[in-house]
Amino acid sequence: MESNLGRVTARLAEKAEDISADLIDLINRNINPPTPVGAGDVHIRTMYIVSDQINSYGGRFPADEHEHLAYLLVDSPVMVGHRKDRLPVGRNFHAVTVAKDNQHWVKSYFYWLRNAQGAGDLKDNIDGGIYKECSIGFTFQFPECSVCGRDIRLCEHEPLQKYKQNGNEITCHFNYRKIERVLETSLVYRGALPDTEISRELKMEKITMNFTGKEPGLKAAGPAEVKRLAGDGRFLIVPHYESLPVRLIREEKGFRTEKDMNGSRIGEIAAIFPLHDVLAPADFAIGETLWGRLVGYRGKERCSLSQLEKYLSKKSSQVSRVVLMLFPHGRVLCRQATAGKTTYEVRVIPFRYVSGYELMAHIPDIMTRSGVEIWPCENGRVATTGYHFRPDSEHTAPAGGYILESSATSPDKRLKIEHEDFKECYLLRQFDLQRLSHGGRFLADKDSRDDTISFMASRCHRGHVDNIRCEGDCLQLTLRGILDGIFNIRAVKLDGQKRFLFYRPVSEK
């Protein structure tokens, strides 16, 4: 009897997800599940959950609240439709502040178990674009009126109404202040905040302070040197404070304070600053180095370095609050403790991670009275030498070039172009950078450069204009910066009116 034997070859229909060990480590540290999870046990996605745009209720999360909000998001549940009568479908385990589409955002990482009921359906609906938007439930104490700064429940202004201020018409909103708690985040059919997004983008952009073997230093830089920097490359920008630079090294029993950036011994900080109350050693690996600035405050006002040094020497001082501002390192840190009459805090220092073409545009956003620190970066690693730049008003923006402005209340963008004798301004209708990169064309109208009433800019990006040439009814621009390459502005007639198309030529797509 003859028999035929065959071979069956099988393969997984779905490619295994690439989940980094860092993400799994963050789940096990921040959530501390009874049974630690591995990469094969979970699905992970991200939410662009909160920006600094005005939502449909007239509320806004200002960018200076984002770091605190990111801290509060960790260990909050993920729900569906804000429904409290059902158990969570996932949990937020990590959150960071990021920039996306010219806006400040809080990006939250959440996970759910692969073997949980409905886990596959949840993944398919997210990845298939059915579940796209998200929302946040939270509690806060103070709705700050954008017009007068008072509690908007008690003042005469109404959210989303227009008012005259300094000769301009502005739209009133209120800022969420004194945020107490994040109750949950939800998958929703339509969010109150525009442009929220659920994403498969899991990459964590880390900025490493590359100071091994050599003490970092700052050198003073003038406008000419900063203009030289403004080009290729990436930079970390942080505000410059009158402060004490410090280095902390994670050891077996906690943290050791090392020399500061000026080479002075500061071992007394460990005795004065309650590190173990505001820094959790378990959050950091043995040998991990943290760089930062120790800043003294009296209320909301920053104190001088001499006052801080008096406090650390246990002498009479104006300091009532001490803040350790750490350079960015990929983990959320925002904790507070009180000892006696002094409050101690740790937080991530405000920062921007930008290209050289955006350098001058972002300096005014983050500078203090003492200016900014500019640290060159390569592959996310910060150089040993940085620059201290204290600009005056005439050096906060390039003399020529272009400005791309965004409004919190409009999907349009305004493009101002200034190059030699050429000065024009265009409103780009429904403009979106991602659609532009995929070949999108956008209607545009000429706009008066002095018209600040119809378009109140909430964010702007500056760049360089290398060349402008006119070919018939088409203006061709060669730009560098957030708009990078060759772009056309072509005159068209629509319903008998002269309008324009803004797009990238086919050869530039």
Side-chain angles (χ1 to χ4, degrees):
M1 183 176 179
E2 190 176 323
S3 65
N4 293 322
L5 298 177
R7 183 176 65 181
V8 176
T9 302
R11 65 176 181 178
L12 291 173
E14 181 181 350
K15 184 182 176 182
E17 294 183 24
D18 184 16
I19 297 177
S20 72
D22 284 343
L23 290 172
I24 298 302
D25 181 55
L26 283 168
I27 293 175
N28 289 321
R29 285 187 183 189
N30 294 342
I31 306 304
N32 192 24
T35 302
V37 300
D41 301 323
V42 298
H43 294 296
I44 298 177
R45 297 295 181 266
T46 58
M47 296 182 183
Y48 287 93
I49 186 71
V50 161
S51 76
D52 57 353
Q53 298 181 72
I54 300 171
N55 64 29
S56 59
Y57 303 111
R60 176 175 174 264
F61 292 94
D64 58 0
E65 296 284 355
H66 284 192
E67 199 66 55
H68 180 56
L69 190 62
Y71 170 67
L72 294 176
L73 270 161
V74 174
D75 206 16
S76 62
V78 178
M79 315 292 287
V80 175
H82 296 297
R83 292 192 61 172
K84 308 297 192 298
D85 59 336
R86 296 186 179 180
L87 292 173
V89 296
R91 190 156 290 270
N92 296 289
F93 66 91
H94 179 59
V96 291
T97 59
V98 297
K100 180 175 81 83
D101 298 338
N102 308 327
Q103 300 288 343
H104 299 292
W105 281 88
V106 177
K107 178 182 178 183
S108 183
Y109 292 70
F110 68 102
Y111 80 102
W112 67 102
L113 298 177
R114 286 174 179 261
N115 60 1
Q117 185 177 3
D121 291 341
L122 178 59
K123 174 184 173 297
D124 290 345
N125 280 312
I126 290 175
D127 295 347
I130 304 302
Y131 299 164
K132 294 181 66 174
E133 299 189 37
C134 47
S135 183
I136 187 171
F138 63 102
T139 61
F140 72 109
Q141 291 185 10
F142 181 49
E144 177 189 58
C145 175
S146 64
V147 179
C148 66
R150 297 166 56 203
D151 190 323
I152 202 165
R153 295 168 296 186
L154 305 175
C155 72
E156 66 273 19
H157 303 112
E158 294 286 338
L160 303 179
Q161 298 300 308
K162 296 187 181 298
Y163 296 92
K164 290 282 187 179
Q165 190 176 65
N166 299 326
N168 297 324
E169 187 177 64
I170 63 171
T171 300
C172 176
H173 66 271
F174 60 92
N175 294 316
Y176 297 113
R177 297 291 188 186
K178 298 184 180 180
I179 302 169
E180 296 178 311
R181 189 182 180 196
V182 170
L183 303 174
E184 45 85 19
T185 63
S186 278
L187 314 177
V188 295
Y189 66 90
R190 183 68 74 193
L193 187 72
D195 304 324
T196 61
E197 179 187 351
I198 304 173
S199 172
R200 295 184 64 171
E201 183 184 296
L202 303 184
K203 180 182 176 183
M204 293 193 300
E205 188 176 64
K206 293 184 178 180
I207 304 173
T208 305
M209 306 306 290
N210 186 22
F211 294 155
T212 305
K214 184 178 179 183
E215 295 293 337
L218 279 171
K219 66 178 183 179
E225 190 154 20
V226 174
K227 281 187 177 180
R228 180 183 61 78
L229 293 172
D232 292 330
R234 301 282 288 173
F235 296 88
L236 173 69
I237 317 173
V238 299
H240 185 74
Y241 299 117
E242 193 170 353
S243 60
L244 190 64
V246 297
R247 179 171 71 173
L248 304 173
I249 299 177
R250 169 74 163 95
E251 293 187 327
E252 193 106 11
K253 296 182 180 179
F255 293 95
R256 182 177 87 248
T257 55
E258 277 285 327
K259 291 181 180 180
D260 73 319
M261 295 184 182
N262 298 318
S264 304
R265 193 70 190 173
I266 53 169
E268 296 84 3
I269 288 180
I272 302 296
F273 193 94
L275 288 172
H276 287 81
D277 291 340
V278 289
L279 279 176
D283 288 347
F284 307 95
I286 301 294
E288 188 167 359
T289 301
L290 308 178
W291 292 92
R293 302 285 188 268
L294 199 65
V295 187
Y297 286 83
R298 182 177 180 84
K300 292 186 177 182
E301 293 294 319
R302 284 190 295 273
C303 296
S304 66
L305 180 57
S306 62
Q307 289 292 326
L308 177 62
E309 289 174 336
K310 284 182 180 179
Y311 175 80
L312 294 175
S313 301
K314 298 186 178 181
K315 297 178 181 177
S316 178
S317 167
Q318 296 179 356
V319 173
S320 63
R321 186 162 61 98
V322 181
V323 181
L324 176 60
M325 296 199 179
L326 294 178
F327 277 74
H329 59 281
R331 293 188 182 91
V332 174
L333 290 170
C334 187
R335 296 191 177 95
Q336 180 174 305
T338 301
K341 295 182 179 179
T342 307
T343 298
Y344 300 90
E345 296 178 48
V346 62
R347 64 176 69 159
V348 177
I349 196 169
F351 72 94
R352 301 286 186 274
Y353 189 48
V354 301
S355 69
Y357 299 117
E358 298 176 298
L359 187 61
M360 296 302 289
H362 283 278
I363 284 174
D365 291 345
I366 205 166
M367 63 182 286
T368 66
R369 293 188 299 268
S370 301
V372 295
E373 296 177 20
I374 303 170
W375 295 89
C377 301
E378 186 173 349
N379 298 322
R381 298 182 71 83
V382 180
T384 300
T385 301
Y387 301 88
H388 175 206
F389 178 46
R390 188 174 182 178
D392 53 39
S393 58
E394 67 178 290
H395 294 124
T396 55
Y402 70 85
I403 302 175
L404 183 66
E405 293 181 339
S406 304
S407 171
T409 58
S410 170
D412 301 335
K413 304 285 189 291
R414 185 158 67 175
L415 179 63
K416 296 180 181 180
I417 306 164
E418 200 171 317
H419 181 68
E420 297 175 350
D421 295 330
F422 183 90
K423 291 183 181 181
E424 292 287 0
C425 184
Y426 296 88
L427 271 180
L428 308 181
R429 304 297 184 179
Q430 305 287 323
F431 182 75
D432 181 82
L433 280 169
Q434 189 171 3
R435 284 172 53 207
L436 176 70
S437 66
H438 287 88
R441 297 186 171 209
F442 302 90
L443 275 175
D445 298 292
K446 278 197 177 181
D447 188 42
S448 167
R449 290 179 55 81
D450 297 323
D451 178 16
T452 57
I453 295 177
S454 62
F455 192 97
M456 296 298 296
S458 63
R459 187 77 61 240
C460 68
H461 287 273
R462 289 178 170 85
H464 294 265
V465 178
D466 285 345
N467 186 46
I468 295 179
R469 67 175 184 173
C470 188
E471 295 183 352
D473 60 355
C474 182
L475 193 68
Q476 190 169 87
L477 314 171
T478 304
L479 309 178
R480 286 185 293 150
I482 194 168
L483 297 175
D484 198 78
I486 297 174
F487 301 88
N488 286 348
I489 299 179
R490 183 179 295 277
V492 295
K493 269 199 171 182
L494 191 64
D495 296 331
Q497 291 186 339
K498 183 178 180 180
R499 302 187 72 180
F500 300 87
L501 279 180
F502 179 81
Y503 60 96
R504 193 188 284 268
V506 174
S507 60
E508 285 290 308
K509 291 178 185 175

